[in-house]
Amino acid sequence: MGGAITWVTPIAGLVGAFTGASLSPWLTSHLSWRRTRKEAFNQAISALRVAQVARHLPTGVHATYLGGDVAAAEAYSLRLRERSVDRYIDAMSEAKVALAALEPFYRVRGDLDSWEITEPDAERIMRELIRAR
């Protein structure tokens, strides 16, 4: 009985080493793919959410925040709206880029070719991404 264990142990070790060596590249590749996929989903969800938040422009900044000068408040509000629109357009563009980058893993339903994703479409896409993540 002792002789059987003597030769089975090295063979079992070799089989284990061979199996581990053959599965290791596949497992590493698979885990890397899953991590990249998850990061792409997280980036797309985050970028879409930022664009939706940027959609709502700040308005009506009270003059007391700017020292009480009504003319200064109006001028500031105008600059703020202009900056907010620029920020929204940039955020929408980044969201569309993030959604396009998701394509190797998941194809979003909807029109990504127009400059803006409408609020109802953004809400639907957000639900879809969270479900598919």
Side-chain angles (χ1 to χ4, degrees):
M1 184 71 176
I5 293 177
T6 305
W7 69 270
V8 170
T9 305
I11 298 295
L14 286 173
V15 168
F18 178 74
T19 304
S22 356
L23 291 179
S24 179
W26 173 83
L27 185 59
T28 301
S29 173
H30 179 70
L31 292 176
S32 175
W33 180 86
R34 285 188 59 176
R35 182 176 48 253
T36 303
R37 180 182 184 276
K38 185 174 183 171
E39 288 170 1
F41 267 95
N42 289 343
Q43 178 64 31
I45 289 168
S46 176
L48 185 58
R49 182 66 182 132
V50 166
Q52 289 309 104
V53 168
R55 177 184 299 275
H56 303 285
L57 310 177
T59 58
V61 175
H62 200 273
T64 56
Y65 287 113
L66 302 167
D69 184 7
V70 174
E74 288 175 6
Y76 179 78
S77 290
L78 177 62
R79 285 193 320 274
L80 181 60
R81 283 192 300 274
E82 289 171 350
R83 285 181 32 229
S84 296
V85 168
D86 288 342
R87 202 173 302 125
Y88 171 64
I89 291 170
D90 290 344
M92 185 57 67
S93 176
E94 289 176 19
K96 291 173 59 168
V97 167
L99 290 169
L102 190 59
E103 292 265 338
F105 310 107
Y106 185 80
R107 184 168 180 88
V108 174
R109 292 182 305 117
D111 180 22
L112 298 182
D113 293 330
S114 64
W115 78 271
E116 180 182 35
I117 300 171
T118 64
E119 264 188 291
D121 278 346
E123 290 172 13
R124 178 191 50 76
I125 290 170
M126 184 68 77
R127 285 191 306 271
E128 190 178 316
L129 292 177
I130 290 171
R131 219 177 13 252
R133 178 174 48 174

